[in-house]
């Protein structure tokens, strides 16, 4: 159910849930300092309790409510990338709710780059806001996706389609060496440049907790397309191209012609549309070079997680 900002602030203060737009995907927001409210997120989404939430803030001062071991590097990164799609993992303060951090000794924080989200948080204080999809479904990038998952009963703020369409980069600053736990639109190279040291992707032993769970997956099976054999396309499948030249685009296909920002904005919507149309499979043109841009590596990461084994 679409609501206005004043109403959304009131509901959050009462310990209720509201879906809110951010620049990455829609989030399901609750007061980050109210355990009963945060508990409702897990129930509503069907989210496993061991998957921690990201605290969304609207000012740097609010970060200090959640951590008292904030390295200078966090302020440098915030100065460059906030508000924006970068989540920082920091050592948590004791009083941070266990339900927010899934019992970890760290807390994930970001300042979203969306005027509606920022206005709400200024009024309500920090909110935890995981992606607003039901667990196991692709993240919502439009309000229609929220209605698909919950019907019209869940209150939401309508900010239109989200600008980036893929979840934030998660950077662990809680121990050295710092590591990227989840790739996103801000690359490790951009982070390395600000910090003056090389920041790598985490290896398997230091993973983002949530990545254990099945994520980013539609019901249709997702495959990398074998470009050599494209003469016999499956009519019950959907095809996604982004780079290769085609003489004629088949009717059950889309071509992004190198516009990777548009591809990222559209990916989850295409997944959901394929499911609504009960298609059996989605075939995606493989990427030839992942290092071309951060959004390409983020897209590769999300698609690789959804590819059927
Ligand atoms: P979502 O908001 O649904 O995009 O996902 C939140 C994700 O942020 C989780 O699944 C984790 O991967 C990551 N995250 C949240 N809190 C922490 C933390 N304390 N340490 C490491 N990763 C975290
Ligand atoms: Mg999520």
């Amino acid at each position: 159910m679409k609501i206005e900002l004043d109403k959304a602030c009131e509901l959050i203060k009462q310990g209720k849930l509201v879906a809110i737009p951010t620049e990455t995907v829609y989030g399901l927001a609750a007061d980050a300092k109210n355990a009963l409210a945060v508990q409702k997120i897990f129930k509503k989404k069907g989210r496993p309790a061991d998957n921690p939430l990201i605290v969304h803030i609207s000012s740097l001062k609010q970060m200090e409510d959640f951590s008292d071991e904030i390295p200078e590097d966090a302020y440098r990164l915030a100065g460059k990338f906030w508000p924006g799609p970068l989540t920082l993992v920091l050592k948590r303060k004791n009083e941070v709710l266990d339900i927010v951090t899934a019992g970890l000794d760290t807390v994930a924080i970001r300042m979203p780059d969306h005027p509606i989200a920022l206005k709400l948080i200024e009024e309500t204080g920090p909110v935890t806001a995981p992606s607003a999809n039901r667990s196991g479904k692709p993240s919502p990038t439009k309000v229609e996706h929220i209605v698909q998952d919950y019907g019209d009963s869940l209150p939401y703020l309508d900010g239109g389609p989200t600008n980036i369409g893929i979840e934030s980069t998660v950077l662990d600053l809680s121990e050295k060496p710092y590591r990227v736990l989840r790739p996103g639109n801000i690359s490790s190279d951009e982070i390395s440049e600000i910090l003056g040291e090389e920041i790598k992707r985490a290896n398997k032993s230091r993973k983002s907790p949530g990545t254990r769970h099945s994520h980013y997956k539609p019901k249709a099976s997702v495959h990398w397309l074998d470009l050599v054999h494209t003469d016999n396309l499956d009519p019950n499948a959907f095809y996604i191209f982004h780079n290769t030249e085609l003489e004629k685009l088949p009717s059950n296909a889309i071509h992004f012609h190198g516009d990777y920002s548009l591809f990222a904005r559209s990916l989850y919507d295409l997944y959901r549309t394929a499911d609504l149309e009960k298609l059996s499979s989605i075939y995606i043109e493989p990427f030839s070079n992942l290092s071309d841009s951060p959004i390409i590596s983020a897209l590769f990461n999300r698609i690789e997680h959804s590819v059927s084994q």
Side-chain angles (χ1 to χ4, degrees):
M1 172 204 341
K2 181 171 166 169
I3 58 169
E4 297 304 317
L5 187 64
D6 288 353
K7 179 72 183 165
C9 295
E10 196 185 307
L11 291 174
I12 296 284
K13 287 180 191 164
Q14 289 169 355
K16 301 201 170 122
L17 304 181
V18 179
I20 62 167
T22 79
E23 80 282 33
T24 57
V25 301
Y26 274 79
L28 186 57
D31 178 350
K33 295 181 182 174
N34 178 340
L36 286 177
V38 178
Q39 210 167 28
K40 290 180 189 160
I41 292 181
F42 287 87
K43 194 151 178 243
K44 191 87 190 165
K45 280 179 57 88
R47 186 175 175 101
D50 63 350
N51 192 356
L53 305 176
I54 297 173
V55 174
H56 288 62
I57 58 173
S58 61
S59 73
L60 280 182
K61 179 111 199 30
Q62 291 170 342
M63 177 159 71
E64 291 155 18
D65 293 352
F66 293 85
S67 178
D68 46 17
E69 290 178 57
I70 306 175
E72 203 38 51
D73 290 332
Y75 291 101
R76 287 162 70 191
L77 292 167
K80 171 75 182 168
F81 298 113
W82 280 0
L86 176 66
T87 295
L88 301 179
V89 173
L90 303 170
K91 285 259 183 267
R92 67 180 262 194
K93 268 188 177 173
N94 246 345
E95 60 258 41
V96 179
L97 298 172
D98 275 334
I99 190 167
V100 170
T101 67
L104 298 172
D105 61 358
T106 53
V107 61
I109 304 179
R110 93 174 181 101
M111 192 187 292
D113 188 12
H114 197 290
I116 297 178
L118 289 173
K119 269 199 203 122
L120 174 109
I121 300 164
E122 265 163 35
E123 177 63 31
T124 62
V127 295
T128 49
S131 52
N133 53 291
R134 267 193 207 278
S135 250
K137 290 247 199 157
S139 298
T141 55
K142 306 172 163 177
V143 292
E144 288 86 336
H145 299 160
I146 295 165
V147 178
Q148 278 168 19
D149 282 8
Y150 304 101
D152 203 35
S153 63
L154 182 70
Y156 61 79
L157 287 168
D158 189 352
T162 60
N163 195 25
I164 295 178
I166 279 188
E167 303 81 355
S168 59
T169 304
V170 177
L171 175 67
D172 185 358
L173 297 181
S174 70
E175 57 178 304
K176 284 260 193 175
Y178 302 149
R179 286 284 183 257
V180 170
L181 304 182
R182 178 173 80 182
N185 202 26
I186 293 176
S187 68
S188 36
D189 285 350
E190 287 172 277
I191 296 167
S192 306
E193 201 172 303
I194 299 298
L195 298 184
E197 61 182 283
E198 201 195 349
I199 306 297
K200 295 193 185 137
R201 282 284 302 281
N203 59 21
K204 287 221 158 36
S205 65
R206 193 171 159 198
K207 253 174 116 179
S208 219
T211 53
R212 269 198 307 276
H213 301 287
S214 135
H215 249 109
Y216 321 124
K217 252 181 158 40
K219 282 205 196 77
S221 61
V222 180
H223 310 271
W224 294 113
L225 178 63
D226 176 0
L227 279 175
V228 186
H229 300 106
T230 45
D231 14 322
N232 244 334
L233 297 190
D234 174 356
N236 200 30
F238 188 73
Y239 292 81
I240 301 177
F241 298 94
H242 48 83
N243 184 41
T244 195
E245 292 210 11
L246 295 174
E247 265 174 36
K248 188 171 168 282
L249 187 68
S251 61
N252 54 339
I254 191 167
H255 202 314
F256 289 104
H257 299 287
D259 188 343
Y260 292 99
S261 301
L262 181 61
F263 187 178
R265 280 202 293 276
S266 313
L267 179 71
Y268 294 143
D269 188 49
L270 292 171
Y271 278 3
R272 282 173 175 266
T273 306
D275 283 350
L276 286 176
E277 292 179 8
K278 302 205 172 0
L279 299 181
S280 59
S281 330
I282 299 168
Y283 289 91
I284 304 179
E285 178 189 341
F287 297 100
S288 46
N289 193 349
L290 293 186
S291 57
D292 281 353
S293 81
I295 201 69
I296 294 182
S297 16
L299 269 166
F300 171 77
N301 169 270
R302 302 308 190 273
I303 295 168
E304 186 67 10
H305 271 94
S306 55
V307 163
S308 309
Q309 309 300 336

